[in-house]
Amino acid sequence: MSLWAAHFHMSNGLIGMLGAFSSNAISAGVGALIGGRICDVYGRKKIYAWDLLVYAFGILWIIFAVKMWMLFVGYVLVGLAVGADVPASWTLIAELAPKRSRGKMSGFAQVLWNLGPVITLLLALALSNLGLLGIRLLFLHLLVLAMVTWAMRRGVVESERWRVAVQRERESNKGMQGKRHGIQEVFASRANVGAFVFCILMYGIWNLVAGTNGFFLPFILRTVGSETQATSVELQCFNFLLTVLATIFVFMPLNDRVNRRGLFAISSVFQVTAFLLFVFFHLNTTIALANIVLYGIAFGFGQQPFFQLWSGELFPTRIRSTAQGLMFAVVRIGLGLWSFFVPILTAVGFHKLALILTCMLAVSGLIGVTFAPHTEGKSLEEIEAERLAASHETYLRTNTSIHTSSK
């Protein structure tokens, strides 16, 4: 970002706008909203046929950008494609995985998700002496990977669960094409509304902290003494590596077999402790490294992997991708809007901002521990039936209470 900013003489406001609309925030949210809808209407595989082509087209704009507006076009297109891919990928993982390995497969996706930045950071370090040309070459490798992955995805099978759900719906409508479930269907039952609110609050509040941590990290690395690019990259890679290891050795083997609330609670305690260090202690090498270690480990079995898992488990097949896309959109667009205020918040002081983030982590953790569903080891059909029955029972109880009161 610093190289692009220097080359195009970008102001801090334009840098913030580029970050807000990039693949990490608003454009990804919009892409997820569109992609999730397409997945439920036309099938999960439909997104796989096109999203990486859009991604590659956006990457080309970035590689050959000679004007600032070209850079914006590229980042927005890439963001739309990245966002559209999320509900498609997460839904396929949830629907294709065996019920006692669904969490493990979701965790493996998170492992790859966190290995990506490590590889890119190392490539950026290797190409750093080339300046802006090195950055263009960095995006060129993403273009190549996108096209190779697109070719491989052509052999991916459609979700059988989606096929069955569509067929049953058509049969129930006497052979006519079943209705296309829109976003309104996400809010058609108490169970869906409850799941939506739970996921948004648990993950959305935490994601604001994760996004803000990006502003913390450079300051932390300077405090540790990383005046060189090499040291900064090494520490960032170390943070991602800890996350990968925690996912492999904690989340993947345990979350399908133990009470998930316990795992989530431990992760939340680690994260809150990591930022409390910034609140009560002067920032030095030991404190900074302790934060990186605690937060990096907790990330591996915390809100991020659990959001992927729960957002796929808590909604019926016909609206699963729509719900995931809508939730991801709300969270990412919220992060984009939040990013505009982070520079203002940093003015309150390092320790005060750390306290704000600590409170947000505590709230997210409390929501997760209190309302986490007991879905481990159950098939998606079993989870859907249980939630439907619970929602119906609540509806009957409420109406009975109202009827009794009226008498």
Side-chain angles (χ1 to χ4, degrees), residues 23-36:
S23 57
N24 193 46
I26 294 177
S27 63
V30 175
L33 190 62
I34 298 171

Side-chain angles (χ1 to χ4, degrees), residues 24-133:
N24 193 46
I26 294 177
S27 63
V30 175
L33 190 62
I34 298 171
R37 186 77 182 94
I38 292 174
C39 284
D40 282 336
V41 175
Y42 300 107
R44 285 65 167 115
K45 190 178 177 180
K46 184 65 69 175
I47 286 292
Y48 276 14
W50 298 103
D51 68 333
L52 284 180
L53 295 180
V54 176
Y55 179 92
F57 184 59
I59 290 292
L60 285 173
W61 279 89
I62 297 174
I63 292 174
F64 295 106
V66 293
K67 298 289 185 180
M68 185 171 57
W69 66 267
M70 298 176 68
L71 197 64
F72 272 82
V73 170
Y75 269 93
V76 169
L77 288 174
V78 168
L80 290 172
V82 168
D85 198 271
V86 169
S89 299
W90 288 5
T91 298
L92 272 176
I93 291 171
E95 293 180 352
L96 296 179
K99 66 178 183 180
R100 298 190 185 278
S101 300
R102 190 168 52 249
K104 181 185 294 184
M105 297 302 296
S106 297
F108 184 65
Q110 292 296 324
V111 168
L112 298 179
W113 185 305
N114 287 287
L115 280 178
V118 174
I119 296 171
T120 306
L121 284 168
L122 293 176
L123 280 174
L125 177 61
L127 299 170
S128 59
N129 292 333
L130 298 178
L132 199 61
L133 175 60

